[in-house]
Amino acid sequence: MKLKKMLAVGAAVFGFAAVHAHADTELEFWTMNLAPKFNAYFEQAVTKFNAANPGLKAKWVDMNWDQIQPKLVASIAAGNPPALVNFNVPWVHEFAAQGNIVALDEYVGAAKNTYSAGALKDVTVNGKMYAFPWYNSVSIIAYNKDVFNKAGVKSAPKNFDELVSTAQKITKSTKTAAFAPKLDNFEGWFYYAGLPMVQNGKAVFNSPKHVAFVQKFADLYKAGVFPKDVFKMAFEQEIAAYNSGRIAMMTTAPQALKRTETDAKAVYDKTEVAAFPTDAGQRAFGAWLMDFVVPKGFKNPAEAAKLGLFLTGDEQQVLFSKATETTFPSSKKANLDPYFQAGAKSADVVERARAVAAKSMDNARTLTIPPGVLPDAASMNKKLQDEIQNAIEGRKPVKAALDEAAAAWNEKLAK
């Protein structure tokens, strides 16, 4: 009887130990604002990862973007953070500076080279990689061929100076505004032009090069190359302006052309596309990279990295782009996939635009000042933006406007 009890107890203990020895390691990963539209994509990703990785169990959780940071901070404090969290580039820099996310170099190895150069630069802080680059986008130029022909313009601009001269020629010849650049966050234009904002703790955007660059915009505005309400024009307004013939070029993401096809088929049929030209900064315009980070305190960072590499690998990046129909991969090989490149010679403008944008992705950079550089970012950026608008709309000389903004910045940076 004693022997039977001992055997029973031993079997129970062994069974308990065996179950726990083989318990799956859960890898919960968070995304923002992607459910329920992309449920099917994530369901296949989770199923495929789990099947290929016995002992690991990926679990997808989606939430609103404004819940991500507070929930992550709370989970880190409680000692139970998820394996991966969907971040943007500014958040990567902010949390890396705080020490709240893990440097990934030791976990990614040679796989690091699968990502585009621009994406890697976006997620590198003090020489270390802090995120797995995921989906992105980039601007293209969509232009009305009839307007170009009337103005005697033979081809799309290939650099920023050509964009300026082409725009001037269009407006002079046709009396039509040429384009409506996104001016609501001008710091991005400085980075696009390869011009620094802050150096050695001081604002430097009032240098002669900065003044000359902003002067180009002021001159274009004065000449009617930009619509007078350009500072009020966001994504929707720019599409409407192009569709109605108010502007000859649309500098936006490829998916905007779907609206043109629906709302202004006659304009759509006259539309051609080209890459948005680069400037001295050698950065494609319009990018906003999303990524995955591994929070500090997650107990199995190597396993989290397996999931991060899987979700941002070539196959899954292409599948996610197909699901969204609007985003582009941040891995080099994925952007060469036929889904993007087969449309290069298509009769469909949207497919041609997709191919053009994919070829620009290696230089796609998130054009923004990383968090932590500015002590009072909201008010400082507003001051700069106000003075930029004063300069471009002609209420102040460019040099005076930039000097005033720089002085305000330096007063705060000195504290």
Side-chain angles (χ1 to χ4, degrees), residues 301-323:
E303 307 295 6
K306 286 183 183 179
L307 179 57
L309 289 169
F310 172 82
L311 291 171
T312 62
D314 294 319
E315 180 187 30
Q316 290 300 317
Q317 292 231 29
V318 171
L319 288 174
F320 188 68
S321 291
K322 287 180 178 180

Side-chain angles (χ1 to χ4, degrees), residues 378-392:
S379 68
M380 293 170 75
N381 285 329
K382 184 179 185 306
K383 178 62 177 177
L384 173 62
Q385 196 59 33
D386 288 347
E387 294 302 332
I388 288 287
Q389 187 167 352
N390 285 336
I392 291 176

Side-chain angles (χ1 to χ4, degrees), residues 84-153:
L84 295 173
V85 182
N86 179 189
F87 264 23
N88 58 37
V89 171
W91 292 1
V92 171
H93 286 254
E94 179 182 357
F95 274 65
Q98 295 168 353
N100 282 326
I101 55 177
V102 176
L104 303 173
D105 302 77
E106 67 177 291
Y107 305 114
V108 297
K112 183 176 182 178
N113 297 322
T114 65
Y115 301 108
S116 69
L120 284 176
K121 289 176 182 176
D122 268 356
V123 299
T124 297
V125 182
N126 295 326
K128 294 182 178 180
M129 176 181 173
Y130 276 91
F132 299 98
W134 191 19
Y135 67 92
N136 206 341
S137 188
V138 71
S139 291
I140 57 155
I141 291 179
Y143 60 93
N144 188 310
K145 291 181 289 185
D146 280 5
V147 177
F148 268 48
N149 289 336
K150 287 176 184 177
V153 177

Side-chain angles (χ1 to χ4, degrees), residues 393-414:
E393 291 184 343
R395 289 188 292 276
K396 275 187 183 179
V398 173
K399 181 68 165 65
L402 294 184
D403 280 346
E404 183 168 334
W409 276 42
N410 287 330
E411 182 179 350
K412 289 185 178 290
L413 287 167

